[in-house]
């Protein structure tokens, strides 16, 4: 089944999260690089993801889009990688995996676009506001090594990446709990391999002659 695994991405995108997840599961996969100016909105890719967004995967006849969904799917499709806890211990796993996809993503995006919910609007937004979201996230990574079940999981790949990216680009505060957690998870061999692959693809693209 692994030989039928195809990854659609661009190295300058959220696809870097799924690259990390793929390196964690340790199975062969084909990579299709999409260009923002052309193929991302082309008919072939829109047939895979009508949103024209990346990442996406095709595993056999199954197509999965949305980063958190892809991470959850891969954890279940390749259980030998041990990236999802047993069902009885999945409360924190699901909670923080989808907190990253919902609250963190929405709160950071809203702030970056100049939208800040007023106090009377916070109850209308699932994330409340960015401060609420980051305070909850800080509690999740304080006093434990990983987000769920006492061991590394797909939740750490996805939500951990949100923390790492946010601190890198200044959209998430560099709180001590965040930096300690990110230093821990981002030093995993699979995370390092994934960064090297995508950084190499970026360098390769930048080295190509540009149209006159």
């Amino acid at each position: 089944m692994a030989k039928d695994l195809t990854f659609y991405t661009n190295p300058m995108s959220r696809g870097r999260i799924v690259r990390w997840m793929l390196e964690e599961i340790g199975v062969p996969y084909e990579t299709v690089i999409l260009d923002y100016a052309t193929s991302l909105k082309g008919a072939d890719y829109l047939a895979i993801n009508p949103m024209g967004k990346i990442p996406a995967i095709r595993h056999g006849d199954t197509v999965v889009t949305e980063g958190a969904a892809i991470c959850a799917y891969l954890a279940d499709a390749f259980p030998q990688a041990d990236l999802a806890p047993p069902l009885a211990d999945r409360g924190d796993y699901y909670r923080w995996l989808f907190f990253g996809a919902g609250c963190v993503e929405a709160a950071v995006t809203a702030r970056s676009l100049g939208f800040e919910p007023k106090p009377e609007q916070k109850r209308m937004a699932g994330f409340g506001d960015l401060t609420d979201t980051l305070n909850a996230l800080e509690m999740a990574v304080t006093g434990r090594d990983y987000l769920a079940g006492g061991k590394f999981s797909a939740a750490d790949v996805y939500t951990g990446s949100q923390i790492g990216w946010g601190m890198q680009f200044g959209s998430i505060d560099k709180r001590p709990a965040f930096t300690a957690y990110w230093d821990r998870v981002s030093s995993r061999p699979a995370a390092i391999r994934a960064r090297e692959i995508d950084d190499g693809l970026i360098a390769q693209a930048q080295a190509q002659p540009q149209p006159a």
Side-chain angles (χ1 to χ4, degrees):
M1 292 181 70
K3 67 181 181 180
D4 298 324
L5 183 57
T6 304
F7 172 42
Y8 301 88
T9 188
N10 183 289
M12 298 181 67
S13 76
R14 291 172 178 83
R16 294 175 73 100
I17 302 174
V18 171
R19 173 82 71 185
W20 179 8
M21 185 68 188
L22 287 164
E23 291 300 311
E24 288 284 355
I25 64 174
V27 300
Y29 60 93
E30 176 188 2
T31 300
V32 177
I33 302 296
L34 298 170
D35 180 84
Y36 284 106
T38 56
S39 54
L40 188 60
K41 300 297 183 181
D44 288 346
Y45 186 64
L46 289 176
I48 294 168
N49 185 359
M51 285 289 287
K53 297 284 189 177
I54 41 182
I57 63 166
R58 183 190 294 277
H59 184 210
D61 294 328
T62 300
V63 171
V64 189
T65 68
E66 315 311 316
I70 295 170
C71 289
Y73 174 86
L74 290 173
D76 287 340
F78 299 94
Q80 67 273 20
D82 196 23
L83 292 169
L87 186 60
D89 297 324
R90 288 201 182 185
D92 281 343
Y93 172 74
Y94 286 133
R95 176 185 184 183
W96 296 114
L97 179 60
F98 294 107
F99 187 85
C103 294
V104 177
E105 175 82 14
V108 167
T109 300
R111 173 69 66 84
S112 69
L113 295 177
F115 171 65
E116 195 72 35
K118 298 175 183 177
E120 64 272 18
Q121 295 175 318
K122 288 171 57 174
R123 65 180 182 180
M124 300 170 61
F127 60 88
D129 64 13
L130 184 59
T131 299
D132 291 342
T133 299
L134 296 186
N135 287 344
L137 191 58
E138 183 178 21
M139 292 177 62
V141 300
T142 298
R144 55 181 169 178
D145 290 341
Y146 305 112
L147 287 169
K151 61 190 300 186
F152 183 84
S153 72
D156 296 294
V157 173
Y158 186 83
T159 303
S161 293
Q162 294 280 7
I163 293 172
W165 276 25
M167 291 193 298
Q168 179 181 353
F169 293 108
S171 57
I172 289 180
D173 304 334
K174 291 184 177 180
R175 303 181 183 184
F178 291 157
T179 57
Y181 168 75
W182 178 241
D183 287 346
R184 182 164 50 252
V185 299
S186 66
S187 64
R188 290 176 61 85
I192 294 170
R193 286 197 306 273
R195 288 196 299 273
E196 289 176 345
I197 292 169
D198 280 325
D199 289 347
L201 289 169
I202 293 171
Q204 180 180 332
Q206 291 174 340
Q208 293 178 351
Q210 298 301 310

